[in-house]
Amino acid sequence: MIQTIPSQPFEGQKPGTSGLRKKVRVFQQAGYTENFVQSVFDAVERPAGTTLVLGGDGRYYNRTAIQQAIRIAAANGYGKVIVGRGGILSTPAASHVIRKYGASGGLILSASHNPGGPEEDFGIKYNIANGGPAPEAITEAIYARTQTIDCWMTVETPDVDLDNDGETEVAGMMVQVIDPVADYAELMENLFDFPAIRAAVEGGFAMAFDAMSAVTGPYATEILEGRLGFAAGTVRNGTPLEDFGGHHPDPNLVHAKELYDTMMSPDAPDFGAASDGDGDRNLIIGRGRFITPSDSLAMLAANAHLAPGYAAGLKGIARSMPTSAAADRVAAAQGIACYETPTGWKFFGTLLDAGMATICGEESAGTGSDHVREKDGLWAVLLWLNILAVRKVSVDDLAREHWAQFGRNYYARHDYEAIETERADALMAALIAALPDLPGRAFGSLTVAEADSFSYTDPVDGSVSENQGIRVLFEGGSRVVFRLSGTGTQGATLRVYLERYEPGDGAIDRETPDMLAEIIIAAESIAGIAQHTGRTAPDVVT
Ligand code: VG1
Ligand code: CO
């Protein structure tokens, strides 16, 4: 019954910041997806007869890859596969399902905010038994296996019906199709004060949620409209589409512009939010007030105790290095630790498992807590709703009060996309070479205090991750960070992260571009972006 199919390694099956991401056409090559899935099963820890969770963001190729993975799992001795109906599981929901049902891990099929469709992107990510992304030691082992693999195993069986809940046997393995929303919705109801939010809604509080034709649609519709009583139509673009309607399911001011325009208009609802392809990112916009993800992390941390799930307070906060230091000030005020990790959710797992951090966040619109081991878009939205319902203030007032208390970290990220890889590498190499000479140099009124290549030693397991981005810290707390993206599928993407701190009694009510103008000029002088890449302006500013 089990078939062993001879194969040869494919180049480049190296997981990046968040799994293996390539063009659909690449995954469609004969044996490509199978090689990678087999390599995962060869490399990871999985007792015989264990359970695998399987689901994705519904993008093009999701169903094909799921049927392949089911057959390969059956041939490799899994006892059970739990799969979301329709092949759907948001990333945070998959993390929860892994934890709740004691699976040894899960395959999440997603390229997150990258566009979908036959000519666009697909991705596969493995999460371990704690529900979180595989740490680097495991992704390295998977990659090593892809370089030596010479066969993969499968079983011959018809496709499993993914559209009806229930159990099917596949070559001695059980496949259970579950409601992708139910477990997750129950978890949210346990963490947040749903009655308080419902009361606010009854009192006229209104919101707009853009699901961006991606995986969060069914979750948001059930929770926001179904359980919290928001008006029908609150969730826009709520049906997951294989190509996300031709858009990038990236909840930022560029790709969620319609929502932004709604929120800046005179008849805006009280609250606006969006999430990404796989449901782990969030965008928060109040009426007339955009909240940067870094600020959102800080504001949520400062107010989390208002939600029942966090009433006992926070054990610690963790943020990725390029995320602004706004959360650090909240941690200091609460007398708890703030950890600075490399980019990517996998670095939060040990801190969450060890009970050292409760809330984590990234500047890229990822926020989450120890309720799962992934960032969680709807969770962030619900925590905001809970806080607003209890405090009965507008987003704008909450933000102003926060800045007056803690000061404001003006922040923006400039992305230069699809640069030729050699040019991007040359830019980074030149930056690294220039590091020793930077301290003491002046750029306009800014003087460099310190400059380094960020290296992280995990405080729990001692593992070291080097070359995680170039930091240039100026006197007075302003900063610029340069790093190359690890999620793109075309050339290189240079990310330039800009930050300036103003104390609470300073200029906290200015426009971000004005406040960052000098740092932007300094970043160009330091990195020679135009000279190296030929680009004089970023493609995306978030
Ligand atoms: C980006 C973000 C990072 C995030 C990662 C995965 O990585 O910067 O913060 O964790 O995407 O998020 P990079 O290497 O391209 O900068 V998701 O929602 O795409 O899974
Ligand atoms: Co995502």
Side-chain angles (χ1 to χ4, degrees):
M1 193 81 168
I2 294 174
Q3 300 179 326
T4 301
I5 315 289
S7 182
Q8 295 175 32
F10 288 88
E11 254 177 55
Q13 292 197 321
K14 186 176 170 64
T17 313
S18 182
L20 181 70
R21 290 189 196 174
K22 300 283 176 193
K23 292 284 171 207
V24 167
R25 295 265 178 245
V26 174
F27 276 101
Q28 283 172 327
Q29 298 170 81
Y32 189 93
T33 306
E34 294 91 335
N35 262 17
F36 187 73
V37 172
Q38 181 67 52
S39 298
V40 170
F41 293 164
D42 287 346
V44 304
E45 211 175 289
R46 47 180 194 96
T50 186
T51 299
L52 176 78
V53 170
L54 191 55
D57 63 13
R59 69 179 59 225
Y60 183 83
Y61 204 57
N62 195 49
R63 284 173 177 264
T64 311
I66 284 185
Q67 299 291 354
Q68 289 170 331
I70 288 173
R71 293 190 180 98
I72 300 171
N76 278 276
Y78 276 96
K80 185 173 182 178
V81 165
I82 300 178
V83 55
R85 191 193 316 123
I88 292 283
L89 276 177
S90 77
T91 289
S95 181
H96 178 53
V97 169
I98 292 170
R99 294 163 67 79
K100 180 168 177 177
Y101 298 105
S104 59
L107 286 171
I108 302 178
L109 311 178
S110 171
S112 189
H113 56 289
N114 297 22
E119 302 302 329
E120 299 294 355
D121 295 353
F122 190 73
I124 304 183
K125 176 168 84 147
Y126 183 75
N127 281 28
I128 59 177
N130 77 349
E136 273 189 339
I138 296 178
T139 56
E140 288 298 332
I142 294 168
Y143 178 48
R145 180 65 187 134
T146 66
Q147 292 170 302
T148 57
I149 192 165
D150 57 9
C151 67
W152 47 276
M153 293 191 290
T154 190
V155 294
E156 209 174 321
T157 144
D159 278 359
V160 173
D161 173 11
L162 297 175
D163 295 307
N164 293 292
D165 296 0
E167 297 188 339
T168 323
E169 204 205 292
V170 173
M173 181 185 80
M174 193 61 81
V175 177
Q176 186 186 8
V177 176
I178 61 164
D179 178 338
V181 176
D183 293 313
Y184 178 84
E186 182 191 285
L187 176 66
M188 293 300 116
E189 205 148 357
N190 288 334
L191 291 174
F192 300 117
D193 191 346
F194 274 38
I197 304 173
R198 264 197 299 269
V201 175
E202 275 160 24
F205 184 93
M207 78 172 286
F209 183 91
D210 190 346
M212 304 193 86
S213 305
V215 79
T216 316
Y219 297 84
T221 306
E222 165 63 21
I223 295 172
L224 299 176
E225 296 183 11
R227 302 194 185 198
L228 290 171
F230 281 103
T234 293
V235 177
R236 306 168 176 191
N237 304 312
T239 305
L241 301 176
E242 287 199 327
D243 67 348
F244 309 116
H247 301 289
H248 289 229
D250 193 348
N252 61 31
L253 299 184
V254 177
H255 297 295
K257 179 140 193 331
E258 242 172 73
L259 178 75
Y260 178 78
D261 291 343
T262 303
M263 295 310 299
M264 295 302 142
S265 74
D267 51 355
D270 301 280
F271 189 72
S275 61
D276 72 333
D278 60 331
D280 56 0
R281 297 189 183 198
N282 68 89
L283 171 69
I284 302 293
I285 316 178
R287 182 191 293 130
R289 171 63 69 189
F290 163 63
I291 301 293
T292 68
S294 296
D295 271 350
S296 177
L297 171 66
M299 292 169 190
L300 291 178
N303 293 282
H305 61 276
L306 300 174
Y310 305 92
L314 308 179
K315 295 173 186 147
I317 304 174
R319 64 163 173 85
S320 67
M321 181 273 281
T323 305
S324 95
D328 303 36
R329 296 177 189 278
V330 175
Q334 295 184 3
I336 56 176
C338 188
Y339 301 92
E340 186 176 35
T341 61
T343 294
W345 209 261
K346 57 179 171 243
F347 294 102
F348 294 131
T350 52
L351 296 169
L352 293 166
D353 283 351
M356 293 164 72
T358 307
I359 285 193
C360 307
E362 295 194 276
E363 55 66 41
S364 55
T367 338
S369 86
D370 57 3
H371 69 292
V372 291
R373 292 294 178 275
E374 285 280 3
K375 53 191 189 275
D376 187 342
L378 255 184
W379 171 91
V381 172
L382 292 167
L383 181 50
W384 264 100
L385 290 174
N386 190 147
I387 292 165
L388 295 174
V390 173
R391 288 192 50 182
K392 301 185 173 39
V393 289
S394 70
V395 172
D396 187 43
D397 285 344
L398 187 146
R400 286 169 190 277
E401 280 176 32
H402 185 97
W403 294 328
Q405 184 181 351
F406 296 100
R408 180 169 178 186
N409 293 69
Y410 289 93
Y411 190 89
R413 187 179 93 191
H414 289 188
D415 288 342
Y416 299 79
E417 296 177 340
I419 304 170
E420 271 173 58
T421 308
E422 299 75 49
R423 289 181 148 209
D425 289 344
L427 181 150
M428 292 304 281
L431 255 178
I432 290 169
L435 282 177
D437 300 326
L438 281 175
R441 271 186 66 190
F443 296 89
S445 72
L446 297 164
T447 304
V448 176
E450 275 174 70
D452 67 2
S453 172
F454 181 58
S455 163
Y456 178 66
T457 304
D458 186 304
V460 179
D461 67 13
S463 58
V464 177
S465 304
E466 287 174 331
N467 302 319
Q468 298 295 323
I470 303 298
R471 297 191 286 192
V472 180
L473 312 173
F474 300 103
E475 283 167 12
S478 294
R479 184 179 78 151
V480 56
V481 171
F482 304 89
R483 63 177 281 280
L484 298 183
S485 157
T487 57
T489 59
Q490 210 182 346
T493 292
L494 171 68
R495 302 204 196 284
V496 182
Y497 309 83
L498 308 141
E499 176 178 357
R500 167 170 171 180
Y501 178 68
E502 285 289 321
D505 56 359
I508 56 168
D509 199 14
R510 301 280 178 79
E511 294 301 318
T512 299
D514 299 342
M515 296 303 275
L516 296 179
E518 205 176 16
I519 301 173
I520 294 170
I521 294 169
E524 171 59 43
S525 318
I526 292 169
I529 300 168
Q531 172 213 327
H532 279 287
T533 67
R535 309 282 180 85
T536 51
D539 300 285
V540 177
V541 175
T542 53

